[in-house]
Amino acid sequence: MPDVIEPDAIEITDINHLNHQRFENWSFSQDFCVTCGLCSSTCPVSGIDNFDPRKFVRMISLGLEEQLVESRWPWICTMCAKCEKVCPMGIEIASLIRGVRSLRDREKVPGILHKGLAAAIKTGNNLGLPQDDFVFIIEDVAEEIAEEPGFEGFTAPIDKKGANLLTTIHNKLVNTHTEDLKHWWRIFHAAKEDWTVPSENWEGTNWGLFTGDDKAMKIMVGRIVENMEKLEIKTLLWPE
Amino acid sequence: MQNFNTVTVFDLLIQYIKEGRIKLDKTKYADVLATYHDPCNYGRKAQKLFGYGYFEEPRWILSQCTDNWTDLYPHSINQLCCGGGGGTLTTGYNDERILYGGRKMDQIKITGAQMIVVPCHSCHGQLNNIKTEYEMEHLEVKYLWELVADCLIL
């Protein structure tokens, strides 16, 4: 004989709290889901915290906004898009993840993601590194290269107007990984490239991609375009 | 409206090599078995978003630097994520991130490669960060452009 479940042990979901129309204007094809589960089979995160992409997509369709926005699920996903690759219905699952990320209160975005982005919007880079310090680091690393055989006279041109190529810089390369600045610079030297680095708004990362912040992303991209036009550069290299 | 061109890291390196502006020494890493990791954003996601994924280009560049390299399995459009994507290096959910990277480390281990070449800052950071977790301290994690710079003939 089956155990009798005590009524107190059952949690009742008030169906009136569900808003099935909540995501109906999202154009990621989420309502085409046939619940086949291919996405969940290929996902590297399936099983962690009971997450799997199929569940996530179904919850979007059901309009379970609060549960999704408050959960860790959209943040432990790496947005690698294997799920999208195998989805027979062409559902844009990684975009759904990013969409839910965008709904999180900015102060509750995990880790340093939003803090770094906020610093970038305010100062031009994720570190809040002042212009003088940036220029000092660039010149210092350039001097180190100039001491290497074959690189005599090497300099890193800053804000060179009319240069052929401008490169952005990943903030970690002017922070803890300055050695990694040198690879591209050595190649530019060997290729006799006419290149430059901007002294302001050089940040190559754009964490709005991860936090779902389109507005911030546009600001960051706009600043790079501004640098290109102000300095009259022909080619943009954005290695990040 | 747009008054300038944008090049990817691959386009620029290929241009320099094909135009003869840089010359590369293939013997430099001849004794080191290398392999290549396809970043999600340059490959699978670029294929979907822009209709073109960079799969052949990095492999061609790698082949200009060394003959001693092998592909991971699976690779290209079906590659496995390194585990460091989507900002997971910065969310603080490190246990999860390290766990995801285990599959990538297994892939690399099976090839016997001593060097993994990547063209992405996130993948590079992740692989370098987790290699000790998987007893692969000796694995060299190299940017694609770092490999090119190392092989330059001046």
Side-chain angles (χ1 to χ4, degrees):
Chain A
M1 206 178 137
D3 292 340
V4 176
I5 300 168
E6 293 296 328
D8 287 356
I10 302 171
E11 283 186 34
I12 297 165
T13 304
D14 182 352
I15 191 163
N16 296 317
H17 286 171
L18 300 181
N19 177 2
H20 293 246
Q21 280 80 48
R22 173 59 187 90
F23 296 108
E24 72 176 5
N25 292 327
W26 281 22
S27 54
F28 303 124
S29 309
Q30 63 271 15
D31 292 336
F32 297 156
C33 177
V34 293
T35 69
C36 68
L38 283 174
C39 54
S40 300
S41 297
T42 199
C43 172
V45 184
S46 276
I48 314 256
D49 278 358
N50 293 318
F51 169 81
D52 73 63
R54 181 177 71 162
K55 241 186 251 176
F56 191 89
V57 171
R58 295 302 297 152
M59 286 174 73
I60 295 274
S61 274
L62 290 167
L64 293 164
E65 178 179 4
E66 195 185 335
Q67 285 91 330
L68 288 170
V69 172
E70 296 306 319
S71 81
R72 295 201 314 159
W73 287 4
W75 303 96
I76 60 173
C77 160
T78 68
M79 305 202 284
C80 77
K82 279 212 92 160
C83 51
E84 290 188 3
K85 172 65 178 51
V86 299
C87 178
M89 302 308 288
I91 302 171
E92 294 170 38
I93 307 174
S95 300
L96 285 172
I97 293 275
R98 186 171 178 271
V100 174
R101 285 187 180 195
S102 77
L103 299 173
R104 178 77 76 96
D105 180 344
R106 295 296 89 181
E107 296 309 310
K108 291 183 185 164
V109 170
I112 57 170
L113 270 179
H114 180 64
K115 293 175 189 76
L117 181 62
I121 294 299
K122 195 174 161 197
T123 69
N125 65 83
N126 293 19
L127 307 169
L129 187 71
Q131 189 178 13
D132 289 353
D133 294 353
F134 175 78
V135 170
F136 177 83
I137 292 163
I138 297 293
E139 288 176 347
D140 198 44
V141 173
E143 278 170 32
E144 284 177 21
I145 293 186
E147 286 168 17
E148 295 172 16
F151 291 92
E152 293 81 5
F154 177 87
T155 55
I158 298 170
D159 292 332
K160 185 182 174 192
K161 204 166 180 177
N164 177 54
L165 182 135
L166 178 144
T167 179
T168 56
I169 304 279
H170 189 301
N171 62 76
K172 74 178 171 185
L173 304 192
V174 286
N175 188 11
T176 47
H177 293 74
T178 51
E179 278 301 309
D180 289 331
L181 277 172
K182 296 179 180 175
H183 316 309
W184 271 115
W185 295 5
R186 289 189 182 111
I187 295 169
F188 293 153
H189 178 83
K192 298 188 171 55
E193 182 62 82
D194 177 18
W195 66 288
T196 191
V197 185
S199 64
E200 284 182 295
N201 297 326
W202 42 264
E203 179 64 75
T205 72
N206 197 331
W207 284 358
L209 176 68
F210 303 137
T211 67
D213 191 337
D214 287 341
K215 202 175 148 203
M217 272 189 92
K218 278 179 194 155
I219 294 171
M220 297 299 288
V221 173
R223 288 171 177 174
I224 290 167
V225 173
E226 220 170 89
N227 268 333
M228 293 297 290
E229 288 177 346
K230 189 178 71 187
L231 294 171
E232 297 167 18
I233 311 288
K234 293 176 201 74
T235 313
L236 171 65
L237 177 68
W238 199 340
E240 289 73 37
Chain B
M1 171 74 193
Q2 188 181 305
N3 300 317
F4 57 86
N5 296 320
T6 307
V7 287
T8 66
V9 294
F10 310 115
D11 299 323
L12 190 63
L13 290 173
I14 290 170
Q15 186 193 338
Y16 288 160
I17 297 167
K18 287 201 166 165
E19 289 177 358
R21 291 170 67 180
I22 57 173
K23 297 250 180 295
L24 302 170
D25 176 7
K26 268 197 176 185
T27 64
K28 172 105 183 174
Y29 286 101
D31 298 331
V32 179
L33 179 62
T35 187
Y36 177 74
H37 167 66
D38 290 282
C40 310
N41 282 296
Y42 276 130
R44 184 166 50 236
K45 295 186 84 171
Q47 175 81 51
K48 173 139 190 197
L49 285 169
F50 309 116
Y52 190 83
Y54 283 84
F55 300 115
E56 296 307 317
E57 292 81 355
R59 288 175 170 78
W60 185 83
I61 295 165
L62 187 52
S63 296
Q64 307 311 305
C65 298
T66 178
D67 291 324
N68 191 14
W69 72 274
T70 184
D71 253 322
L72 299 173
Y73 181 81
H75 60 80
S76 299
I77 195 102
N78 292 316
Q79 64 71 273
L80 303 180
C81 175
C82 70
T88 48
L89 278 161
T90 46
T91 54
Y93 297 141
N94 292 321
D95 292 345
E96 292 83 353
R97 173 176 59 76
I98 292 165
L99 181 74
Y100 308 154
R103 293 169 68 178
K104 180 55 59 181
M105 285 301 171
D106 285 344
Q107 269 189 306
I108 300 169
K109 254 181 215 168
I110 287 166
T111 64
Q114 298 139 286
M115 176 161 78
I116 176 94
V117 178
V118 288
C120 164
H121 282 283
S122 292
C123 302
H124 186 279
Q126 159 77 347
L127 294 167
N128 232 352
N129 182 278
I130 65 170
K131 63 184 187 182
T132 50
E133 305 281 344
Y134 292 95
E135 294 168 359
M136 293 179 73
E137 295 84 356
H138 301 299
L139 179 71
E140 195 168 351
V141 182
K142 217 171 234 331
Y143 291 110
L144 181 63
W145 47 87
E146 178 182 3
L147 178 68
V148 171
D150 285 357
C151 295
L152 283 173
I153 301 171
L154 294 166

